Amino acid sequence: MTNVLQSKGQDRKVEILDAALTLFVKNGFNRTSIQDIADAAGITKGGLYHYLKSKEEILFLLHERFISEGYSKLKLIEEESLPTEEKLVKLLKTHLEIIKDYKDDITIFYKEYNNLSPENYKIVMNKRDDYESIFINVLEEGRINGVFNIENSRISSFFILGASNFMYHWYNPNGEKPMDELARIYLNIIKNGILNEKDKA
Amino acid sequence: MTNVLQSKGQDRKVEILDAALTLFVKNGFNRTSIQDIADAAGITKGGLYHYLKSKEEILFLLHERFISEGYSKLKLIEEESLPTEEKLVKLLKTHLEIIKDYKDDITIFYKEYNNLSPENYKIVMNKRDDYESIFINVLEEGRINGVFNIENSRISSFFILGASNFMYHWYNPNGEKPMDELARIYLNIIKNGILNEKDKA
């Protein structure tokens, strides 16, 4: 019985977070009130405060949710015994799927993270660093075992993640190219570069 | 005499825009008032309205200024008679210098563009498209003349610009790597990819 109630409370919380996310994307964090969020979630303001204590906590939980879920997916891949190149490919494809699935969350992350409290900002940035370090580690593994010809794993990782993350600006789920085709084009540039073989240094 | 006065007015306007930019970066567009901007620029609110008619106009002019200045620089390179690869390298190096020089402007662009009026939003997005199309054009030129081995110039351009634009999140002018070294690392990945020759398909 307790579990059912807890689970219902959890569902209600998720509904509130989802309602808040939609409003933040549409109107921005600062122009959205707790009353707006309560109205959109079909709950009273008092009822909302039963689950979440402030608008800032909602913003924090939204960030926390998508980064943690994404991190868990990448971590499972990192722990597989795969050849380095295959691991990077799998990580990047998964990262692009995460960008597709969490487009709104990512938009809000980049636009609104400076509205977090200093403590929550630190927690979110540490999780973001953990996420990035999975990519840095696999690039470093490849740099050391000679699979990758890179001189700096951290900057190369920022390059690859930057090119991918930037998709949240322009990726359209109903657009001309499905994400798996974009992933193929991106991976081709990352692995082989754009120069024709004969022109390469 | 008129010219001197006009030029003084222009300088005053630039001072107001610069003061607004600093405040927008620090506190966000919505939490900055016209009074805050006037105070920071050392002018009365009435005096400010002599030069600029609203906070939204200030945001628009900030966007307009950096995209137009960047576009002019790229356009000059596009018009030079350079071999395709050299042209792309010069464009990208210049783009990275623009990111370095206009880091604050770009931060505000990505965070606050949805605060523009629909008309100004359209003007800014058209200029952004013009900027991007310089890269799409040079990639398409290379795709056709066989210098670049890419299948889609538009997506490849978004990849390259995304990886570069994303730098505004992490580039630190006082950091370990100067921009010209980052440019060299980026260009190496774009041109040659990260796979060691022997592993390439």
Side-chain angles (χ1 to χ4, degrees):
Chain A
M1 191 63 185
T2 316
N3 278 343
V4 173
L5 280 179
Q6 276 179 342
S7 147
K8 269 197 182 170
Q10 207 48 40
D11 288 351
R12 208 72 194 91
K13 208 166 159 176
V14 168
E15 280 167 23
I16 297 167
L17 289 178
D18 290 339
L21 179 61
T22 306
L23 289 170
F24 291 165
V25 168
K26 200 173 153 219
N27 306 321
F29 178 79
N30 285 303
R31 288 196 287 197
T32 301
S33 68
I34 282 282
Q35 187 64 61
D36 297 335
I37 299 169
D39 291 347
I43 194 171
T44 63
K45 204 166 153 180
L48 185 149
Y49 280 124
H50 179 70
Y51 298 104
L52 294 149
K53 64 178 188 291
S54 66
K55 205 170 66 154
E56 191 271 338
E57 191 192 8
I58 294 176
L59 185 66
F60 169 66
L61 290 176
L62 283 172
H63 285 355
E64 209 278 339
R65 179 170 74 167
F66 97 85
I67 303 184
S68 293
E69 288 177 10
Y71 177 77
S72 306
K73 287 180 188 172
L74 295 186
K75 195 72 192 164
L76 284 175
I77 299 167
E78 192 188 35
E79 285 161 2
E80 286 180 51
S81 355
L82 288 171
T84 314
E85 182 187 337
E86 225 173 286
K87 193 179 274 185
L88 179 67
V89 168
K90 201 165 174 182
L91 285 171
L92 199 76
K93 281 184 178 170
T94 306
H95 178 59
L96 291 175
E97 286 299 320
I98 291 166
I99 289 170
K100 189 183 81 176
D101 294 343
Y102 296 90
K103 189 174 186 278
D104 286 348
D105 308 71
I106 297 170
T107 303
I108 291 309
F109 174 68
Y110 286 121
K111 285 196 169 182
E112 310 288 6
Y113 64 77
N114 49 355
N115 289 304
L116 292 172
S117 70
E119 303 74 39
N120 284 338
Y121 177 84
K122 209 176 157 188
I123 295 171
V124 167
M125 288 303 151
N126 283 341
K127 277 183 187 278
R128 196 260 328 249
D129 289 349
D130 289 345
Y131 190 105
E132 286 178 354
S133 63
I134 294 182
F135 282 89
I136 299 174
N137 291 344
V138 71
L139 286 170
E140 184 63 10
E141 178 186 302
R143 193 186 67 79
I144 289 169
N145 68 20
V147 169
F148 301 142
N149 180 22
I150 50 175
E151 58 177 290
N152 186 310
S153 305
R154 193 169 149 270
I155 292 170
S156 302
S157 167
F158 285 174
F159 176 91
I160 292 171
L161 286 172
S164 312
N165 294 355
F166 208 70
M167 275 192 171
Y168 86 88
H169 278 303
W170 62 270
Y171 175 68
N172 174 3
N174 309 312
E176 51 184 320
K177 299 270 182 205
M179 189 55 103
D180 59 348
E181 205 179 325
L182 295 175
R184 193 178 49 73
I185 296 175
Y186 268 38
L187 277 162
N188 196 21
I189 302 180
I190 291 167
K191 291 201 283 186
N192 305 311
I194 66 170
L195 279 191
N196 248 330
E197 278 314 311
K198 58 177 165 30
D199 300 315
K200 283 191 182 162
Chain B
M1 190 65 183
T2 316
N3 278 342
V4 173
L5 280 178
Q6 277 178 344
S7 147
K8 269 197 181 168
Q10 207 49 40
D11 289 351
R12 209 73 194 89
K13 208 165 160 177
V14 169
E15 279 168 22
I16 298 167
L17 289 178
D18 289 339
L21 180 61
T22 307
L23 290 169
F24 292 167
V25 168
K26 199 173 153 219
N27 306 321
F29 178 79
N30 284 304
R31 288 197 285 198
T32 301
S33 68
I34 282 281
Q35 186 66 61
D36 297 334
I37 299 169
D39 291 348
I43 193 172
T44 62
K45 203 167 152 179
L48 185 149
Y49 280 124
H50 178 71
Y51 297 105
L52 294 149
K53 64 178 188 288
S54 66
K55 206 169 66 151
E56 191 272 339
E57 190 192 8
I58 293 175
L59 186 66
F60 169 66
L61 291 176
L62 283 172
H63 286 355
E64 209 278 337
R65 179 170 72 167
F66 97 84
I67 302 184
S68 293
E69 288 177 11
Y71 178 77
S72 305
K73 287 179 188 174
L74 295 186
K75 196 71 192 165
L76 284 176
I77 298 168
E78 192 188 35
E79 284 161 4
E80 286 181 50
S81 356
L82 288 171
T84 314
E85 182 188 338
E86 225 173 286
K87 194 179 274 187
L88 179 66
V89 167
K90 201 164 174 184
L91 284 171
L92 199 76
K93 282 184 177 169
T94 306
H95 179 58
L96 291 174
E97 287 299 320
I98 290 167
I99 290 170
K100 189 182 82 175
D101 294 343
Y102 295 91
K103 189 173 185 281
D104 286 348
D105 308 72
I106 296 171
T107 303
I108 291 310
F109 174 68
Y110 286 120
K111 284 197 169 180
E112 310 289 7
Y113 64 77
N114 50 355
N115 290 303
L116 291 172
S117 70
E119 302 74 41
N120 284 339
Y121 177 85
K122 210 178 157 189
I123 296 172
V124 167
M125 289 303 151
N126 284 341
K127 277 182 188 279
R128 197 259 331 247
D129 290 348
D130 289 344
Y131 189 105
E132 286 177 353
S133 63
I134 294 182
F135 282 89
I136 298 174
N137 291 346
V138 71
L139 286 169
E140 183 63 11
E141 177 185 303
R143 193 186 68 77
I144 290 169
N145 67 21
V147 169
F148 301 142
N149 180 21
I150 52 175
E151 59 177 291
N152 187 311
S153 305
R154 194 169 147 268
I155 293 169
S156 303
S157 167
F158 285 174
F159 176 91
I160 292 171
L161 286 174
S164 312
N165 294 356
F166 208 69
M167 277 192 169
Y168 85 88
H169 278 301
W170 60 271
Y171 175 69
N172 173 2
N174 308 312
E176 52 185 317
K177 300 269 183 208
M179 188 55 104
D180 59 349
E181 204 178 325
L182 296 175
R184 192 179 50 72
I185 295 175
Y186 267 39
L187 277 162
N188 195 22
I189 301 180
I190 291 168
K191 291 200 283 187
N192 305 310
I194 66 171
L195 280 190
N196 249 330
E197 277 315 311
K198 59 176 164 29
D199 301 314
K200 283 190 185 165

